[in-house]
């Protein structure tokens, strides 16, 4: 039995699809969701759906009963991840889960990004739990950029504080397929995967978007503090705006860049290219 947390979220949903595509049987998958109402499509596929959230260790333990492998999609609430993730790991221990694959962040053990702190703390807890594990250290999602295209095409600007730093972004679908490959593969040894796709600067992203959209798009670089203020003016809460601006400072340092081909190896093909992904997002 394989459980997937956050199974109705962006990445979780794609991971369930990837597991099915790779031959997992629906009745061997346990989708752990906060709200069963949102999981009707999973039920209709014959997948077992159990309700639990990261705040309740007892419900999590019930949801993990009989589960051998856990694909642990990290929580999305920055600042809350350590207590929430502690609950998941304790529940997995109590339920005698035999393997955990955790979606972490690129270079979690050396990254200076604020976002990396909670991921590293989680990795340490998983290591200390004694449960065999794999850390899926994902770089940025390309969707972090393409989902802003409506505003970008209107304004003609991609804003950021990443200077000429390179980011090794990949699509959520590629990260999900890699996660499925790890969970369905040999899980007898602990493993760390540094995962990233095409590397590009935000100026290069602007150039590709310009060419493919037929509109002039430029990258406007600004100091980190100014970028955080700009995000807040768009309604992004202050704490999250500061984390995003700090992540751009991480891009400058190379925290979200990798030249390792772990993702390509897990996929058995090249990750989706920046060109193809931008093209799809524009049409």
């Amino acid at each position: 039995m394989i459980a997937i947390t956050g199974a109705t979220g962006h990445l979780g949903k794609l991971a369930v699809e990837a597991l099915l595509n790779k031959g997992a049987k629906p009745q061997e998958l346990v989708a752990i969701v906060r709200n069963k109402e949102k999981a009707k499509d999973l039920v209709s596929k014959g997948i077992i759906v159990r309700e639990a959230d990261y705040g309740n260790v007892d419900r999590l333990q019930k949801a993990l009963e009989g589960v051998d492998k856990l694909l642990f999609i990290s929580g999305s609430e920055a600042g809350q991840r350590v207590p929430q993730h502690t609950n998941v790991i304790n529940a997995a221990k109590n339920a005698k889960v035999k393997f955990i694959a955790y979606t972490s962040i690129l270079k979690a053990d050396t990254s200076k990004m604020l976002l990396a702190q909670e991921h590293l703390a989680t990795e340490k807890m998983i290591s200390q739990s004694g449960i065999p594990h794999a850390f899926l250290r994902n770089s940025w999602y390309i969707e972090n950029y393409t989902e802003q295209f409506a505003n970008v095409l209107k304004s003609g600007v991609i804003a950021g504080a990443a200077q000429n730093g390179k980011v090794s972004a990949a699509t959520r679908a590629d990260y999900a397929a890699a996660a499925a490959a790890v969970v369905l593969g040999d899980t007898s040894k602990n493993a760390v995967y540094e995962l990233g796709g095409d590397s590009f600067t935000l100026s290069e992203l602007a150039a590709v978007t310009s060419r493919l959209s037929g509109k002039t798009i430029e990258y406007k670089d600004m100091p980190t503090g100014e970028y955080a203020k700009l995000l807040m003016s768009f309604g992004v809460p202050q704490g999250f705006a500061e984390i995003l601006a700090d992540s751009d400072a991480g891009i400058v340092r190379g925290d979200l860049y990798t030249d390792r081909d772990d993702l390509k190896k897990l996929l058995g093909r090249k990750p989706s290219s920046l060109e193809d992904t931008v093209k799809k997002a524009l049409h």
Side-chain angles (χ1 to χ4, degrees), residues 5-136:
T5 64
T8 52
H10 288 307
L11 186 61
K13 198 178 266 191
L14 289 166
V16 171
E17 278 172 32
L19 285 161
L20 292 172
N21 289 342
K22 288 181 187 295
K25 295 186 176 74
Q27 63 273 23
E28 293 170 357
L29 298 182
V30 177
I32 298 177
V33 302
R34 273 193 297 206
N35 182 350
K36 272 190 173 175
E37 285 298 301
K38 290 184 179 172
K40 284 176 179 165
D41 58 326
L42 299 177
V43 174
S44 70
K45 287 176 181 162
I47 292 164
I48 300 159
V49 174
R50 295 178 183 168
E51 217 167 44
D53 65 65
Y54 292 170
N56 188 323
V57 74
D58 294 332
R59 292 194 74 172
L60 282 165
Q61 190 178 327
K62 277 201 187 90
L64 289 171
E65 271 168 20
V67 166
D68 302 295
K69 297 177 180 182
L70 170 62
L71 174 52
F72 176 9
I73 310 274
S74 61
S76 56
E77 295 172 65
Q80 296 302 310
R81 287 195 188 101
V82 173
Q84 289 179 348
H85 291 180
T86 303
N87 288 340
V88 177
I89 295 158
N90 286 339
K93 265 198 293 196
N94 295 340
K96 310 248 181 320
V97 169
K98 298 179 186 70
F99 174 78
I100 297 175
Y102 171 67
T103 60
S104 188
I105 196 167
L106 194 67
K107 303 176 182 174
D109 53 342
T110 58
S111 174
K112 300 283 186 291
M113 281 168 56
L114 290 172
L115 263 184
Q117 294 171 3
E118 293 175 305
H119 286 297
L120 181 58
T122 304
E123 286 191 7
K124 284 180 175 164
M125 285 191 285
I126 292 170
S127 295
Q128 287 158 7
S129 74
I131 300 171
H133 54 266
F135 298 142
L136 308 167

